Structures are given as structure tokens and as C-alpha cells.
């Protein structure tokens, strides 16, 4: 029997080389997962509406609309929380968290990924995710996670 393959919206900052490396790692792991359709992983950095000048109102409007449409269409949102990991900061990117909240509001399951494991977790995030892959070694397990059954994976990270 064939396994259902899910579509993914990958929420993550993509402003630095470290952030882009983390995206590439997660995409590679997702593509190894038999419950993910590797052709249906939406990566926002690849869809920046280049017909309009970066940052212009028309550009903002088009990118925002596209991203929100893709969040709603996805079977699951995978959110990489690490924003300024290289600087030792653990606060997630606000855009990623906005997409996370939009997914939660639309009943799209959210899988959290965090390479750094020394931070604290906001209560709103802690109570709204389906699964949490916490720490560089744990993140590799996403390639084996069953996105069809969406088993809950908690963390014992301190909650604020």
C-alpha cells in the first residue's frame, strides 16, 4: 500500500548563511522522509516575487499573499526557530512565528525544529506545536517522523 506524501510549508528566516544552511539541512532530511512529497516543499526564499522591486508595497503584498496561501494549502508547517543562533541568541524570527500562528489558526499542524537547545520556549509556542525536534542530533530524526500519524513529541525545555 502506498504511503500518503504530505506537502510542507517551511517557515524559517533566510537572511544569513547559517540560516540558509539550516534550511538546506531540514530540506534534505524532509526529502528522505517517505511521508513527505519532496516536490511539494514550499520554501519561501525561493518565491520572492522578483517582478517587483524588493521591499516595495507591491512586492510586500505579493509575497505576503503567496506565503499565507501556501501556509493554508500545506498539510503541515515545519518551523525552524533558530534565528540568530550564531550570535548566541535564542529568540525566534518574528516572521516565522507569524507563519506558525497562522498555521495553528488554520488547523495546519506545526512541527518545530530548533538546532540550538539551550534556550527557553515561549508558552504560546509550547502549547501549539504538534512535535518538537530540539537540538542538532534530534533534528536528524525528522527524516523518520511519520507525518501521516503526527505523533506528539514534547520537550522538557523551560517554558516562559
Amino acid at each position: 500500500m502506498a504511503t500518503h506524501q504530505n506537502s510542507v510549508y517551511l517557515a524559517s528566516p533566510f537572511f544569513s548563511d547559517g540560516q540558509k544552511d539550516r534550511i538546506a539541512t531540514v530540506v534534505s532530511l524532509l526529502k528522505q522522509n517517505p511521508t513527505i512529497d519532496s516536490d511539494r516543499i514550499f520554501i519561501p526564499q525561493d518565491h520572492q516575487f522578483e517582478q517587483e522591486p524588493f521591499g516595495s508595497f507591491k512586492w510586500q503584498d505579493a509575497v505576503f499573499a503567496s506565503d499565507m496561501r501556501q501556509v493554508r494549502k500545506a498539510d503541515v508547517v515545519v518551523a525552524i526557530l533558530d534565528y540568530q543562533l550564531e550570535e548566541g541568541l535564542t529568540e525566534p524570527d518574528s516572521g516565522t512565528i507569524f507563519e506558525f500562528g497562522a498555521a495553528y489558526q488554520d488547523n495546519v499542524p506545526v512541527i518545530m525544529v530548533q538546532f540550538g537547545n539551550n534556550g527557553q520556549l515561549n508558552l504560546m509556542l509550547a502549547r501549539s506545536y504538534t512535535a518538537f525536534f530540539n537540538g542538532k542530533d534530534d533534528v536528524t530524526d525528522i527524516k523518520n517522523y511519520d507525518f501521516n500519524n503526527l505523533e506528539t513529541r514534547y520537550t522538557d525545555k523551560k517554558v516562559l
Side-chain angles (χ1 to χ4, degrees), residues 17-135:
D17 290 341
Q19 293 163 358
K20 290 175 184 177
D21 288 345
R22 287 187 287 279
I23 290 169
T25 297
V26 170
V27 168
S28 173
L29 293 167
L30 289 171
K31 287 183 175 187
Q32 295 174 56
N33 188 308
T35 62
I36 295 297
D37 183 342
S38 61
D39 293 328
R40 293 176 54 219
I41 300 172
F42 185 86
I43 306 165
Q45 72 179 0
D46 296 341
H47 303 275
Q48 289 296 298
F49 198 70
E50 294 174 0
Q51 301 89 320
E52 294 293 335
F54 177 82
S56 68
F57 179 80
K58 286 183 177 183
W59 176 89
Q60 292 174 36
D61 196 44
V63 170
F64 178 80
S66 173
D67 288 356
M68 290 298 94
R69 184 173 48 255
Q70 294 300 324
V71 165
R72 286 188 299 274
K73 285 175 52 175
D75 294 316
V76 63
V77 167
V78 174
I80 302 174
L81 299 186
D82 301 288
Y83 179 34
Q84 295 174 307
L85 181 62
E86 290 75 18
E87 291 87 4
L89 302 174
T90 58
E91 193 69 26
D93 168 60
S94 58
T96 301
I97 299 311
F98 184 91
E99 293 161 334
F100 183 123
Y104 181 82
Q105 182 63 33
D106 282 345
N107 295 311
V108 176
V110 178
I111 309 302
M112 291 193 329
V113 173
Q114 190 167 41
F115 286 78
N117 61 359
N118 60 348
Q120 297 174 330
L121 191 59
N122 177 280
L123 170 66
M124 301 308 278
L125 299 180
R127 298 309 308 139
S128 57
Y129 67 81
T130 299
F132 189 17
F133 293 85
N134 184 31

Side-chain angles (χ1 to χ4, degrees), residues 109-112 129-133 144-154:
V110 178
I111 309 302
M112 291 193 329
Y129 67 81
T130 299
F132 189 17
F133 293 85
N144 302 314
Y145 182 72
D146 187 342
F147 283 88
N148 290 325
N149 291 322
L150 295 168
E151 180 181 332
T152 302
R153 287 179 48 124
Y154 289 107

Side-chain angles (χ1 to χ4, degrees), residues 1-13:
M1 177 182 266
T3 300
H4 173 72
Q5 293 185 307
N6 295 277
S7 64
V8 173
Y9 180 94
L10 185 58
S12 177

